[in-house]
Amino acid sequence: MTQQQIVNHALRALLYEVTVTPKPGLVDPVSAGPHPDMNAFMFIDSALSLEPYFKACASAGATYTDADLTGLFQQIRTVGIEAERTMFTAMHGVNTHKGAVFSLGVLVTAAAYQQQQPAKSLASIVQAMLTGLTANDFSGLADKDPSALTAGERQYLTYGIKGIRGEAEAGYPTVMQVALPALKRSQGTINQRLLDTLMAIVQATVDTNLVKRANDSHVVDWAHAQAAKYFELGGSQTSAGMAFLRDLNQEFLAHNYSLGGSADLLILTIFLGLEAGILA
């Protein structure tokens, strides 16, 4: 697979995700959900602004030769910080894809590196790239000015939630062990398949965006129960499942809940699905 094909899969993943509807707590072509400062067109513009970044990630992965892959991550992390600035400039300060800049950048880099080392699994490459990530990023937080803490840092101190850093450092187990298998067994249109995959992610993950909006970690148990109910009703394959999802969408809106973390994991799953030919 060429570097450009990998980059194209990353861009398609971003565009596919925003197109899926109805997504509880997320932006889609019909509704901005609990994100009144956003719309689907912004996500399209944001995705396209990231193409040079993904090209840089693919190039870095394809040409890296050092045995220590943590150096590869440091290389793209520097580029990623600049990509975030580019995204925020293009979006006039609105955060559309910050999570994807980090995680999708990591997977694009790992996928390109895997072309050099096809015997290595993608998860093992990611783990090697991100060794020590949470320990490094969360060190000294207790001594930090509380007003200067990020939402992820506060959740780590308050609830012990490692968030996307922990998921990434472990090689994205939710994506590899839950979401990709869900995508493989999904049926119907691309929209139906991705809705079911999203809800499988919601059922299995601790969404830090949801915890942030609710300001209560117990909301995760509630979200897991809603996803389970969706599948009990038949998911996207039944009118009852879809009706439940539309009602759930309204409930998320009423509570100002967001599933931004789950959306990021869906983007990664779509990317890997395109890489593997699971999505046409």
Side-chain angles (χ1 to χ4, degrees):
M1 188 173 297
T2 67
Q3 291 180 44
Q4 188 58 52
Q5 286 174 314
I6 294 171
V7 170
N8 287 347
H9 288 160
L11 296 174
R12 286 174 67 189
L14 295 174
L15 298 175
Y16 276 34
E17 184 278 325
V18 76
T19 304
V20 177
T21 184
K23 297 193 300 292
L26 295 167
V27 176
D28 62 37
V30 177
S31 168
H35 303 277
D37 57 342
M38 302 180 187
N39 59 58
F41 295 103
M42 291 174 66
F43 278 78
I44 293 170
D45 291 342
S46 175
L48 296 181
S49 78
L50 295 174
E51 183 175 13
Y53 165 61
F54 293 132
K55 285 184 175 179
C57 289
S59 177
T63 58
Y64 192 80
T65 56
D66 197 311
D68 182 2
L69 293 188
T70 59
L72 177 56
F73 173 62
Q74 291 306 321
Q75 188 177 326
I76 66 160
R77 197 172 207 185
T78 302
V79 182
I81 291 170
E82 185 57 38
E84 279 187 18
R85 293 195 192 102
T86 299
M87 178 205 70
F88 278 117
T89 298
M91 296 297 100
H92 305 289
V94 177
N95 176 15
T96 43
H97 283 129
K98 184 175 180 179
V101 168
F102 170 71
S103 288
L104 194 51
V106 167
L107 282 192
V108 166
T109 305
Y113 180 80
Q114 192 181 36
Q115 302 296 303
Q116 297 186 59
Q117 303 280 347
K120 293 186 176 181
S121 71
L122 200 64
S124 69
I125 293 170
V126 171
Q127 287 172 324
M129 287 173 61
L130 302 183
T131 299
L133 175 65
T134 52
N136 291 333
D137 282 10
F138 289 143
S139 65
L141 286 188
D143 301 323
K144 195 173 178 180
D145 179 357
S147 65
L149 292 172
T150 67
E153 290 169 342
R154 281 193 295 272
Q155 288 185 22
Y156 178 73
L157 287 175
T158 305
Y159 308 117
I161 297 172
K162 293 183 179 180
I164 193 60
R165 289 178 179 86
E167 175 76 16
E169 188 176 24
Y172 295 105
T174 302
V175 174
M176 305 297 184
Q177 300 168 23
V178 176
L180 263 182
L183 180 60
K184 286 179 183 177
R185 66 175 177 264
S186 64
Q187 298 179 337
T189 65
I190 291 178
N191 190 66
Q192 286 176 305
R193 295 180 67 191
L194 295 183
L195 279 175
D196 286 350
T197 303
L198 171 64
M199 295 308 287
I201 291 169
V202 173
Q203 190 173 10
T205 194
V206 175
D207 192 307
T208 54
N209 286 77
L210 181 60
V211 175
K212 177 184 175 183
R213 290 291 186 107
N215 198 30
D216 182 357
S217 64
H218 293 98
V219 73
V220 173
D221 294 332
W222 173 82
H224 289 176
Q226 302 312 302
K229 179 68 172 177
Y230 168 76
F231 287 116
E232 287 170 12
L233 292 170
S236 70
Q237 301 298 304
T238 67
S239 57
M242 289 301 293
F244 176 80
L245 195 62
R246 286 189 289 270
D247 290 343
L248 186 60
N249 199 14
Q250 291 303 310
E251 192 162 354
F252 268 75
L253 183 59
H255 288 92
N256 198 37
Y257 288 166
S258 170
L259 286 174
S262 300
D264 287 340
L265 295 180
L266 178 62
I267 288 168
L268 303 186
T269 307
I270 295 168
F271 170 73
L272 295 180
L274 291 169
E275 288 276 290
I278 297 169
L279 281 172

